[in-house]
Amino acid sequence: MSTDKPGRARIPELSAIPWEGPVSVTQYAKVGRDLCRDVGEEFALGSDELYAVLIRSFQGHPVLKVFGAPDVRMRARRVVKRLKRAAELQRGAGVELVKFHAQFCKEFVEVLPPAKPAKRQTFDWTKDS
């Protein structure tokens, strides 16, 4: 994967977590949830700031006055609505990571017996989630 474009590289907080057992899955879900919460909160705060900037910057704009365009506030609300939607989706992603962890526990940790030491690979079933 190319790292020369911003936003295209793996997220270091998540990619640094090795898949070594249930504790790793728990850690991955917690870190992912925290990242989603942070991004969602940033989008929400950014939308409020952007709305204020758009209102302040374009109120009384000569082009908008001449052509009788709709109110600047209405236009700003339409733009900011998309950023608020992105914030909601990030919060939803955080919820899905909690469900991901619960599903993992249900399907693997609670059902399968721990592997015998002689057959154990890098995935350690003895660690508690």
Side-chain angles (χ1 to χ4, degrees), residues 61-78:
H61 192 277
V63 173
L64 292 177
K65 280 185 177 181
V66 171
F67 294 112
D71 185 35
V72 172
R73 291 180 190 277
M74 184 179 66
R75 288 172 173 261
R77 275 194 299 269
R78 277 192 233 146

Side-chain angles (χ1 to χ4, degrees), residues 12-82:
E13 293 90 344
L14 293 174
S15 63
I17 299 171
W19 296 110
E20 296 176 337
V23 173
S24 300
V25 175
T26 301
Q27 185 181 8
Y28 194 89
K30 284 180 181 178
V31 170
R33 182 194 62 200
D34 292 344
L35 286 170
C36 289
R37 285 180 177 173
D38 291 346
V39 171
E41 192 60 30
E42 178 58 36
F43 286 162
L45 292 172
S47 69
D48 293 337
E49 292 172 4
L50 177 61
Y51 182 76
V53 168
L54 289 173
I55 297 300
R56 191 172 46 247
S57 299
F58 290 101
Q59 208 157 21
H61 192 277
V63 173
L64 292 177
K65 280 185 177 181
V66 171
F67 294 112
D71 185 35
V72 172
R73 291 180 190 277
M74 184 179 66
R75 288 172 173 261
R77 275 194 299 269
R78 277 192 233 146
V79 170
V80 169
K81 178 176 78 171
R82 300 298 175 182

